Amino acid sequence: MSTENEGTAVPAAPSVPPSPVPATEQDAKPSGAPGAGAPAAPAAGAGAGAHPDAAAPADRTPAPEHPAEHPPTPPSAAHQPPGQQPPAHQPAAHQPPAPQAPQQHQAAPGAAWPPPPPAFPAYGTAYGSGHGGDAHHGGGHGGGGHGGGDPWGAPLGQEPPAPKRRGRGGLIAAVLVAALVAGGVGSGIGFWMANREANSPGGSTTISAAGNPQDFKRDPGSVAGVASKALPSVVTIDAQSGSGEGGTGTGFVYDKQGHILTNNHVVASAADGGDLSVTFSNGKKYAAEVVGRAQGYDVAVLKLKKAGDLAPLPLGDSDKVVVGDATIAIGAPFGLSNTVTTGIVSAKDRPVASGDGQGSKASYMSALQTDASINPGNSGGPLLDSRGAVIGINSAIQSVPSGGFGSGSGQAGSIGLGFAIPVNQARTVADQLIKTGKPVYPMIGATVAMDQKGEGAKISESGAGNTPAITPNGPAAAAGLKPGDVITKFEDRVIDSGPTLISEIWTHKPGDKVKLTYTRGGKESTTEVTLQAREGDN
């Protein structure tokens, strides 16, 4: 802070330090009758930084003005002329002060210096040591003071030595000034210290969360709330074949009778003479057996042995799911049990053909597509909606092997393309497996090409093993379909390939009547087909 006056004259340097006078004494003096040694009124042109107590006495010749860059500094107390020494004791307001004996032009033994600060803050200069008014630049004018920097010119924040003997007035004033300064800059210092700590290389300013984390109440509809309720009903399945080969997958409690719903390819290796066990999230482990498998649907049902009370997961309605709905997947990716991931429904009715890795026939589904992270080991686990209801069974993923799409080399993880069997279809299959142990498939009684895509599902010229492509007296034959016809629509769904047609047929039940649109010789026609049942996978 600079004390140079802007546009005002610099006052003359005082020849003596000011002497604080208690307010009671000043109030008691009559106007125009100053006492002995009382300073004269300040000059009319005194700058804003000059205090009335700092003006030169009337009976003294003013000292030469200092240059503008050197603010005035009062001399030491030892160089005051006779009669100007501050009295050792201030009398009461109603008594005139006792005359002071002339003092020698030197410091008296034991004299207090420097005097206490005035009753109001003397706005100190911002200069450091060695400029304007100090002992090395004419601070005495008649006395040779060559000590350190003068307290009257000390920068703000430097505290002069406490006086040895002084009246209460100066001390109280000093305390008042300190209190005002502290009150004015306290908050600023706090902010400066915090900012300095945060920006210092080795500093760190952290903020603690309020409350106890154990007392935090999570919304039942949040991911944490849904997961905490669903996890006790999700199991990790360990399937081992008779030769010791196998792996892990996931399943969930289907009903209170101890049935577990999962994928067929999870348990296929242990279905004939292997070992099956399931482990719950609480660590309890149970032996299990296969109740039934549907290879074409990729659905299997297990039954726990000697299981206690179980809490089945609620089943939702996959037909009412819309793109953008939130999804939560629970499973054991790469053997990491009780893993929870989230995403959305990315698409519906996605035709997917997948295999079980055992060289068996493919499975077909009109799947729910999700970007929730699904990896090997998630198979058979539940895909939940935001309420915690099952809307699908996680079954397949599209990944990028080491050679890129279509190379078929290596095994890769999730790239956000996961597929789940709609729960409405899975429930129909599971109920049939629990009832009979065998799957039932709806069919139209025609063989279609599986390697053509883009133009529809073309009815082949012949079936497997040179059997007729159109089953005699079957649904397709009754509807008038012939080999070479290209089916382009199933109800309102556009058909672009054989797998898409099968996926759509298997979302229905035997006995359902469906409308087919087909082309023959460039002419489009429609017909109605009643779906027929086929039992078993053979």
Side-chain angles (χ1 to χ4, degrees):
M1 178 181 69
S2 174
T3 55
E4 295 179 359
N5 296 285
E6 298 181 5
T8 58
V10 178
S15 59
V16 295
S19 176
V21 180
T24 55
E25 179 181 345
Q26 291 179 359
D27 294 341
K29 290 182 180 181
S31 175
H51 191 278
D53 288 341
D59 59 347
R60 295 283 298 176
T61 301
E65 293 184 358
H66 291 268
E69 69 274 10
H70 298 297
T73 303
S76 62
H79 296 266
Q80 294 187 26
Q84 299 300 323
Q85 288 285 355
H89 175 70
Q90 294 290 345
H94 62 278
Q95 297 178 357
Q100 299 291 326
Q103 301 290 331
Q104 297 297 325
H105 197 68
Q106 61 183 2
W113 181 256
F120 297 95
Y123 300 97
T125 73
Y127 298 106
S129 59
H131 290 284
D134 64 1
H136 297 283
H137 289 79
H141 288 294
H146 294 283
D150 198 19
W152 292 98
L156 288 178
Q158 293 185 4
E159 183 179 357
K164 293 181 180 179
R165 293 180 293 119
R166 205 59 192 164
R168 287 187 176 182
L171 180 59
I172 294 176
V175 173
L176 176 62
V177 171
L180 292 175
V181 172
V185 304
S187 59
I189 292 177
F191 173 80
W192 174 78
M193 288 296 293
N195 189 57
R196 181 182 182 188
E197 288 292 333
N199 295 327
S200 62
S204 175
T205 302
T206 60
I207 300 176
S208 299
N212 188 345
Q214 296 179 352
D215 298 333
F216 184 74
K217 303 298 182 183
R218 290 167 176 81
D219 187 345
S222 66
V223 174
V226 170
S228 65
K229 188 174 181 180
L231 278 170
S233 300
V234 179
V235 298
T236 299
I237 300 174
D238 183 22
Q240 300 294 328
S241 67
S243 61
E245 296 179 357
T248 60
T250 309
F252 61 91
V253 178
Y254 181 70
D255 57 26
K256 294 183 178 181
Q257 286 70 38
H259 291 109
I260 302 296
L261 194 57
T262 186
N263 285 141
N264 172 68
H265 73 262
V266 170
V267 300
S269 61
D272 298 320
D275 293 327
L276 281 171
S277 64
V278 303
T279 305
F280 284 82
S281 60
N282 60 6
K284 291 185 178 180
K285 188 174 183 178
Y286 299 92
E289 60 183 359
V290 176
V291 172
R293 301 188 296 132
Q295 181 178 342
Y297 294 122
D298 196 19
V299 173
V301 176
L302 309 181
K303 179 69 179 292
L304 301 185
K305 299 177 180 179
K306 300 180 180 180
D309 293 336
L310 300 175
L313 288 180
L315 304 181
D317 188 347
S318 54
D319 290 341
K320 295 182 179 179
V321 171
V322 298
V323 174
D325 281 350
T327 59
I328 302 172
I330 303 178
F334 299 102
L336 302 175
S337 301
N338 310 315
T339 296
V340 178
T341 57
T342 63
I344 62 169
V345 175
S346 304
K348 292 182 64 177
D349 303 321
R350 185 73 74 194
V352 174
S354 62
D356 60 4
Q358 305 294 322
S360 301
K361 296 179 181 180
S363 300
Y364 301 95
M365 70 186 84
S366 183
L368 297 175
Q369 180 180 324
T370 181
D371 64 346
S373 182
I374 298 175
N375 290 281
N378 274 104
S379 293
L383 184 68
L384 309 175
D385 62 13
S386 59
R387 303 170 303 160
V390 180
I391 57 174
I393 302 175
N394 300 319
S395 181
I397 62 173
Q398 174 65 62
S399 59
V400 182
S402 58
F405 278 109
S407 67
S409 60
Q411 184 184 56
S414 172
I415 58 171
L417 296 174
F419 306 99
I421 303 168
V423 72
N424 288 7
Q425 178 182 357
R427 175 164 43 191
T428 300
V429 175
D431 289 344
Q432 185 66 37
L433 292 175
I434 293 173
K435 182 178 180 180
T436 68
K438 295 181 179 180
V440 176
Y441 299 93
M443 55 180 295
I444 64 172
T447 300
V448 296
M450 303 300 289
D451 55 355
Q452 294 181 351
K453 187 176 182 179
E455 298 179 356
K458 184 179 180 179
I459 299 177
S460 303
E461 295 297 330
S462 62
N466 292 322
T467 59
I470 302 293
T471 304
N473 302 319
L481 294 174
K482 296 181 179 181
D485 289 348
V486 178
I487 300 174
T488 58
K489 280 187 178 181
F490 184 94
E491 295 287 345
D492 294 329
R493 174 74 187 276
V494 174
I495 303 301
D496 61 356
S497 65
T500 302
L501 176 61
I502 295 175
S503 297
E504 286 300 314
I505 292 173
W506 285 1
T507 62
H508 289 71
K509 298 177 182 179
D512 289 348
K513 297 181 182 297
V514 297
K515 183 177 71 173
L516 297 180
T517 302
Y518 65 96
T519 61
R520 180 187 297 167
K523 182 182 178 180
E524 185 176 87
S525 302
T526 61
T527 186
E528 186 179 77
V529 177
T530 301
L531 300 179
Q532 190 176 20
R534 188 197 81 189
E535 187 176 286
D537 285 314
N538 297 323

